[in-house]
Amino acid sequence: MERREGLKRLALMAGLGGAGPALAQAVATRPVRDEVALKAIVERLTGGQVQFFGAGPLPGLHEVIVKDKVFYIDAAGEHLIDGHIIDIANRRSLTAQRQAEYVLASTPTLRLAELDLADAITIQRGQVVPGRVLVSFEDPRCGFCKRLHVTLKDATDLTVHTFPISYLGPESRALNERIWCAPSRPIAWEAAMADQEVPGNGASGCGVEALERNMALAEKFRVQGTPTLFTAEGQRLNGAVKLDVIEAALKGA
């Protein structure tokens, strides 16, 4: 019995050995597509435009970035990899690292002087003090924005320029239009943040093009969620951060 099993293993090994050259030849003769063809494949599969195409972290793989996400594709265009390549020795994701580096390098720095503050709702808390300025992107229905609103009530001598955006669906857009067309936008915004009735009749006879520009501005600076805050010099703070974090950022600016 053992002898028969041994013969089977030998036969199998011989068969594989014979197939080795054929297999190597098959790999060697796989088609190699050019960059244009590979980009077209990726765009067809992902539904997005390729932002970056280059050498991958492993031989035989190209790195492709679509919608700020890293993919990999082989030279033949037969396999698209959606997942992480892990550096086992250092226990880190090469994919996550590369994605973070790309987003950081390709995101413009927000500068207060370059913004059209006519598209923002400005609320002044105390005196105007140079450097004590925040730019925020917020959705009027966002619970974390309302929490931030409570936090900022304890801030002194702070100017907040809020660009209202609609990330939480059509209800947010309707509320933003109501706020934007209210007799006083700061008062209407304060009411929305306090879950109170917003005065006004909505967008009737009122231009709301600024709300579209604000959505484009949020996309430009890669605002992924609300609230997102920036100092006047572009330091980003994500979420309903505490006042001590905000004060430290303002001092750093």
Side-chain angles (χ1 to χ4, degrees):
M1 183 69 176
E2 290 182 1
R3 184 171 181 274
R4 284 200 301 269
E5 290 300 322
L7 290 173
K8 287 181 181 179
R9 285 195 293 271
L10 288 172
L12 179 60
M13 293 172 64
L16 289 175
L23 180 60
Q25 183 178 4
V27 171
T29 57
R30 289 175 64 199
V32 176
R33 301 180 187 274
D34 61 17
E35 179 177 331
V36 174
L38 292 174
K39 283 183 176 179
I41 293 171
V42 173
E43 291 179 349
R44 185 175 70 251
L45 292 174
T46 63
Q49 185 175 0
V50 171
Q51 298 165 284
F52 174 85
F53 182 96
L58 296 177
L61 288 182
H62 296 289
E63 176 188 284
V64 190
I65 299 179
V66 179
K67 298 179 181 178
D68 297 339
K69 183 175 181 179
V70 176
F71 295 89
Y72 306 102
I73 190 168
D74 65 329
E78 295 176 351
H79 300 92
L80 181 68
I81 301 172
D82 177 5
H84 288 255
I85 294 178
I86 307 297
D87 179 348
I88 296 175
N90 295 301
R91 297 187 178 183
R92 62 189 176 96
S93 169
L94 299 180
T95 307
Q97 178 180 322
R98 172 62 179 132
Q99 190 162 306
E101 291 172 348
Y102 174 81
V103 169
L104 180 63
S106 59
T107 300
T109 300
L110 184 145
R111 304 290 186 190
L112 181 64
E114 299 173 359
L115 300 178
D116 185 355
L117 297 180
D119 289 348
I121 298 172
T122 299
I123 295 177
Q124 182 65 46
R125 302 186 183 280
Q127 301 298 313
V128 175
V129 176
R132 289 188 60 79
V133 179
L134 286 178
V135 173
S136 72
F137 290 86
E138 301 179 50
D139 186 300
R141 297 176 59 244
C142 162
F144 290 107
C145 299
K146 294 173 183 178
R147 185 186 303 177
L148 175 68
H149 184 76
V150 173
T151 298
L152 291 178
K153 285 184 176 181
D154 294 330
T156 57
D157 302 332
L158 179 65
T159 305
V160 182
H161 302 292
T162 298
F163 289 86
I165 55 178
S166 306
Y167 274 16
L168 299 179
E171 295 88 352
S172 293
R173 173 64 188 219
L175 183 53
N176 264 329
E177 290 182 358
R178 191 176 183 88
I179 293 168
W180 196 254
C181 297
S184 170
R185 290 170 189 162
I187 291 176
W189 186 260
E190 296 266 15
M193 290 294 100
D195 286 325
Q196 298 173 356
E197 182 67 21
V198 174
N201 298 316
S204 178
C206 170
V208 293
E209 295 82 6
L211 299 179
E212 296 296 336
R213 292 194 292 270
N214 289 349
M215 292 292 283
L217 191 67
E219 182 178 357
K220 174 182 177 180
F221 292 108
R222 288 188 167 87
V223 173
Q224 302 296 321
T226 56
T228 297
L229 306 174
F230 295 87
T231 65
E233 293 303 316
Q235 181 178 342
R236 179 190 296 252
L237 300 172
N238 294 318
V241 293
K242 296 185 180 299
L243 187 57
D244 60 342
V245 176
I246 294 172
E247 290 293 347
L250 291 171
K251 288 177 182 178

